[in-house]
Amino acid sequence: MTSPISKSVTQGNFYVSSECDHVLNCVLGSCIAACLYDETQTIGGMAHFLLPCSNDRDGKESTKYGAYSMELLINEIMQRGGDKSRLKAKIFGGSQVTKGFSTVGEQNIDFIRAFLLHEGIQIVSENLGGKRARQVRFWPTTGRAQMMLLPNAIFDQPSKTKLMSTGRNEITLF
């Protein structure tokens, strides 16, 4: 058995893989990590976006915006053989990690839920909101996910966590 190959998905980027030894990872504050996968075709990916969408024309085609990043993620999965009708989602992030910071985390949460609903993509697990950063690991070929809440110097209290699980599509807390 080979060691997993870790791929960091940084802010404003996305990554798609059909390699069984790839594990995608990121650290989130107010950002969102949207992990999509097609179990039948054993392919998936992660988008890590900062803001829901742009208010100016110059920024609308930037992967730091969820609207553009999610379209690119879905299209790349489909180009590599995934079927949009079979895609499932696990979503993370949207914290308010800094006192007095804007409500961008809440805006990101509202966006990703509405986007996935509009696209007909089922959310099988989520861990959103709260006041703590998260570390996420995602295996794109199986949909397996791990998430850990990180200590925060400003806020050190539990996240308002909502975990949903259906069958083997669980999130493992580590």
Side-chain angles (χ1 to χ4, degrees):
M1 182 173 182
T2 61
S3 297
I5 298 170
S6 181
K7 301 287 185 180
S8 291
V9 182
T10 57
Q11 293 178 346
N13 289 293
F14 73 98
Y15 192 88
V16 173
S17 179
S18 58
E19 301 294 325
C20 62
D21 60 348
H22 284 185
V23 58
L24 312 182
N25 62 76
C26 67
V27 175
L28 305 165
S30 60
C31 296
I32 295 286
C35 304
L36 305 181
Y37 62 102
D38 177 340
E39 286 177 308
T40 303
Q41 290 300 113
T42 61
I43 188 165
M46 175 191 288
H48 180 172
F49 62 86
L50 287 78
L51 301 165
C53 54
S54 172
N55 291 331
D56 65 62
R57 289 173 39 197
D58 294 334
K60 72 179 180 183
E61 292 185 356
S62 171
T63 52
K64 72 179 181 180
Y65 298 108
Y68 189 61
S69 183
M70 292 302 296
E71 290 294 337
L72 291 177
L73 176 64
I74 292 167
N75 289 338
E76 182 71 20
I77 291 171
M78 289 173 25
Q79 286 177 357
R80 294 192 191 189
D83 186 324
K84 186 176 174 186
S85 68
R86 289 191 305 256
L87 289 180
K88 294 180 182 174
K90 294 185 178 184
I91 53 178
F92 307 89
S95 295
Q96 182 183 353
V97 293
T98 308
K99 284 185 180 178
F101 196 59
S102 73
T103 60
V104 70
E106 291 175 22
Q107 294 170 26
N108 281 337
I109 292 168
D110 292 344
F111 165 79
I112 193 61
R113 286 179 174 155
F115 179 90
L116 293 170
L117 178 66
H118 180 265
E119 295 295 320
I121 298 172
Q122 177 188 9
I123 300 171
V124 295
S125 306
E126 66 178 44
N127 188 279
L128 301 166
K131 301 192 182 299
R132 291 176 59 187
R134 295 164 171 84
Q135 180 180 354
V136 175
R137 294 180 192 157
F138 177 67
W139 286 259
T141 60
T142 64
R144 178 179 170 212
Q146 292 180 326
M147 193 234 32
M148 176 173 60
L149 291 173
L150 301 176
N152 190 306
I154 297 173
F155 295 106
D156 194 17
Q157 55 187 313
S159 168
K160 293 179 182 172
T161 301
K162 177 182 178 190
L163 289 178
M164 299 183 333
S165 177
T166 56
R168 66 187 184 108
N169 297 317
E170 294 181 4
I171 298 171
T172 304
L173 302 177
F174 65 101

